[in-house]
Amino acid sequence: MADNLPSEFDVVVIGTGLPESIIAAACARSGQRVLHVDSRNYYGGNWASFSFSGLLFWIKENQQKTDNSDECEDWRKLILENEEVISLSKKDKTIEHVEDFCFGDQDSAEDVEEAGALPKLPVFGASGAEDVAQESEKESPAMESALPEAESQEPEGAAGSEPASAVEGGDTEISSGNESSHSAAESALELGKTEAAPSEIAAQEPKKITYSQIVREGRRFNIDLVSKLLYSRGLLIDLLIKSNVSRYAEFKNATRILAFREGKVEQVPCSRADVFNSRQLTMVEKRMLMKFLTFCLDYEQHPDEYQDYENSTFAQFLRTRKLTPSLQHFILHSIAMVSETDCSTLEGLQATKKFLQCLGRYGNTPFLFPLYGQGEIPQCFCRLCAVFGGIYCLRHSVQCLVVDKESGRCKAVVDHFGQRISANYFIVEDSYLSESTCKNVCYRQISRAVLITDQSVLNTDSEQQVSILTVPPVDLGKPAVCIIELCSSTMTCMKDTYLVHLTCPSTTTAREDLEPVVQKLFNLNREKETENEELEKPRVLWAVYFNMRDSSGIDKNSYDGLPSNVYVCSGPDSALGNDCAVKQAETIFQEMFPTEEFCPPPPNPEDIIYDEDEIAPEESGFSNSPEAKPEPSVEESGSGDSTAVKKEDNKE
């Protein structure tokens, strides 16, 4: 089957993380022939989301660190005398120190089966591209992670998970996706407004959730490897709207900003209405806060107020503004969300202004969260790429890059079937590069923890809250811990539970970095609570800690011996937003195609001119099928059309 894969493309993309997926979509949208492959059996790389069983499989895989790659022994025969190879890594070394803990009776879940799970099939060696796609759909628990139950098949099919018919698969599945989401970009994002005030009433006592229940309802979970939110006026939201990719996803508002101060969790007033309705602040504090926030919105117009403190930290600057300690704490840790020791005055003012500018666009906080998890976003861009002819192959590893000795440019890749595939440009995710290529690179690490709990860190009348909380460090110089708490209406956890993500730059192992914060906020006792204080805290039902490589901000010249037409995409960074990934994707695309527009808006149906010559069927299912191009373009129609109208377009 591998022989049916075309041997020439314009762009080959290795890895399906967010930057790679954006680049693949942009290239396909501009008419380039794109091959997008990933050695994993799921989309997203370190940006992925998993069901509970899928995450357990991922944990086991990273604890064992086994090498399951198939290698064709004859691939070196394809290398000519005037060529050399750059071998790629066969093991993912971006995840370390994985530790998981169950705080219930784990034995009781031994015979429990996941509701709605497909029967397990025997695993055979991949013999072709079609087998790769079928196995990745049927066998892998990780692939169940995208959407639970009725919607679970939509992301994979829509993104073209069957390499033999990527365009057709994207075409048919995107129709079903349109039925479940709003048609226009803005209306999809507006969904968060209606969901910000749910009608469910919090129970008087939290129900006792057992581990067996979590296993049984495992498909209700969509657990992100990386925890991020979308700024409502950030680069990613702007790109989703511009490209109309937002119609493939739905979003929910982050409903509240929390602060941890003097051992207590409290809600932070950040909008004008919140400030004046707050019972935490005195009238004097309310005036102080509003005056300072108003200044931050146009601080550039008043340089005389901060010029003397440009060499000071933002925390020192706040002390000069006659703000009370509680206001300084709120601004520093919950609004600007910056370091107390490392952030300059200008950086703090910029962060505060960004926060304030994002308020009110889609709700009372600056943030949106994608339903079904952050792992949906890379898949959305993969869908766009597939609609415009991109070909997708999961569990399809690449052995090496082939470099021409004379020109120094990369000419081709050789995959694990031994097939040589030529292209003009190559995009490689950092984790695929070998140790010899990365010997001069100094990586940072991110400490991550994911908890399943039985109640919120701050209970209110409504239990359906999406909260963000920054816990300042106990010791100066240590990083603050960012906590995002998700409720069941985000489609990331089962009813009566919460999914809590903790993230900070690493100083040691993830458990050592984050467990002190977990102990402050949560009850870790397995069955019997010994202190009354512990009874008031949310109980942790299950937890996992791990360290993830942060490869962001690394200069390309740091990689040893990479050709000029090979571009490296980084994995997730420790920041709350996604600006780094979007900037990187746009920069790489513009370097490759400086005259092309980056992810332009899709054409309207009436603007499409059908060429009879282009409707001729292609011989190979793998090919970049022209006959499928006009129809997806119709689907790309746009903004303002109702869902019903779009369905009719699809039928036509």
Side-chain angles (χ1 to χ4, degrees), residues 394-565:
L394 295 181
R395 199 182 293 175
H396 195 102
S397 59
V398 175
Q399 301 291 343
C400 66
L401 305 174
V402 181
V403 181
D404 182 73
K405 291 181 179 179
E406 294 181 6
S407 64
R409 291 176 62 84
C410 185
K411 298 170 60 178
V413 296
V414 177
D415 67 11
H416 67 298
F417 292 118
Q419 183 181 4
R420 178 169 170 145
I421 301 169
S422 301
N424 298 323
Y425 299 99
F426 302 85
I427 313 297
V428 184
E429 200 267 318
D430 175 89
S431 65
Y432 286 89
L433 298 175
S434 65
E435 288 186 4
S436 59
T437 303
C438 303
K439 61 185 178 183
N440 298 322
V441 178
C442 183
Y443 292 111
R444 299 179 299 276
Q445 295 287 324
I446 303 169
S447 289
R448 289 277 292 115
V450 182
L451 317 176
I452 300 173
T453 66
D454 65 347
Q455 58 179 313
S456 175
V457 291
L458 182 63
N459 285 318
T460 59
D461 293 339
S462 172
E463 63 183 23
Q464 295 300 311
Q465 300 276 6
V466 177
S467 311
I468 175 170
L469 165 65
T470 302
V471 179
V474 176
D475 302 321
L476 286 177
K478 291 287 186 71
V481 176
C482 179
I483 299 176
I484 297 175
E485 182 186 71
L486 305 172
C487 59
S488 59
S489 64
T490 62
M491 308 301 178
T492 58
C493 57
M494 62 181 278
K495 189 179 179 182
D496 299 319
T497 64
Y498 288 84
L499 195 64
V500 183
H501 291 274
L502 295 90
T503 308
C504 75
S506 298
T507 58
T508 177
T509 67
R511 186 181 175 190
E512 291 172 342
D513 279 339
L514 299 173
E515 196 171 50
V517 175
V518 173
Q519 290 171 342
K520 284 182 185 178
L521 296 170
F522 301 96
N523 173 15
L524 294 175
N525 294 325
R526 291 179 180 269
E527 293 295 336
K528 297 179 180 179
E529 295 83 5
T530 56
E531 298 180 12
N532 291 333
E533 292 181 3
E534 294 296 307
L535 285 169
E536 298 175 1
K537 297 178 180 179
R539 190 164 69 92
V540 176
L541 309 171
W542 182 87
V544 63
Y545 299 88
F546 60 91
N547 289 90
M548 178 185 289
R549 177 190 292 177
D550 180 358
S551 54
S552 63
I554 294 175
D555 187 78
K556 183 182 176 181
N557 296 326
S558 301
Y559 298 102
D560 187 47
L562 280 186
S564 59
N565 62 333

Side-chain angles (χ1 to χ4, degrees), residues 182 184-186 188-189 240-241 243-251:
H182 293 281
E186 291 282 357
L189 293 170
L240 288 168
I241 293 172
S243 62
N244 208 16
V245 170
S246 59
R247 71 198 179 106
Y248 297 137
E250 298 178 71
F251 300 86

Side-chain angles (χ1 to χ4, degrees), residues 130-346:
E130 186 173 322
D131 297 335
V132 170
Q134 291 174 352
E135 287 181 18
S136 65
E137 289 176 355
K138 295 178 182 178
E139 179 231 337
S140 167
M143 288 297 290
E144 298 167 4
S145 64
L147 295 178
E149 293 187 353
E151 305 221 6
S152 62
Q153 296 176 3
E154 192 247 348
E156 292 82 25
S161 57
E162 289 190 26
S165 57
V167 177
E168 291 84 350
D171 187 15
T172 56
E173 290 294 341
I174 286 169
S175 319
S176 65
N178 289 337
E179 296 174 12
S180 64
S181 62
H182 293 281
S183 60
E186 291 282 357
S187 62
L189 293 170
E190 287 284 347
L191 176 70
K193 287 185 177 178
T194 60
E195 302 218 6
S199 60
E200 296 186 25
I201 300 174
Q204 293 180 354
E205 293 181 4
K207 296 180 181 179
K208 187 174 181 180
I209 305 294
T210 63
Y211 182 71
S212 60
Q213 285 178 276
I214 294 174
V215 173
R216 187 180 297 109
E217 298 293 326
R219 287 169 64 84
R220 298 286 182 188
F221 289 88
N222 285 287
I223 304 172
D224 293 321
L225 294 184
V226 59
S227 178
K228 290 181 177 291
L229 293 173
L230 284 72
Y231 280 91
S232 64
R233 296 189 189 276
L235 295 179
L236 184 54
I237 288 291
D238 291 344
L239 181 62
L240 288 168
I241 293 172
K242 173 188 173 185
S243 62
N244 208 16
V245 170
S246 59
R247 71 198 179 106
Y248 297 137
E250 298 178 71
F251 300 86
K252 182 177 176 66
N253 283 347
T255 54
R256 59 186 184 177
I257 311 292
L258 304 179
F260 184 76
R261 184 170 175 268
E262 297 177 353
K264 294 182 180 180
V265 177
E266 50 190 348
Q267 188 164 345
V268 177
C270 44
S271 68
R272 182 182 294 271
D274 288 342
V275 170
F276 286 107
N277 291 329
S278 174
R279 296 179 180 178
Q280 305 161 246
L281 305 178
T282 66
M283 286 303 297
V284 174
E285 285 180 316
K286 290 177 182 180
R287 285 194 292 269
M288 286 180 180
L289 182 57
M290 285 307 303
K291 183 179 179 181
F292 180 76
L293 296 181
T294 304
F295 157 71
C296 289
L297 274 172
D298 60 352
Y299 73 90
E300 297 98 335
Q301 307 302 319
H302 308 282
D304 53 304
E305 295 197 34
Y306 64 85
Q307 275 182 341
D308 295 340
Y309 305 97
E310 286 186 356
N311 297 324
S312 305
T313 64
F314 188 51
Q316 291 169 339
F317 173 70
L318 291 177
R319 295 189 196 107
T320 69
R321 302 292 299 184
K322 298 180 182 179
L323 297 168
T324 62
S326 60
L327 292 181
Q328 292 178 37
H329 182 93
F330 287 163
I331 294 167
L332 188 67
H333 297 293
S334 300
I335 295 179
M337 296 187 218
V338 293
S339 168
E340 191 170 347
T341 55
D342 299 332
C343 177
S344 70
T345 298
L346 278 177

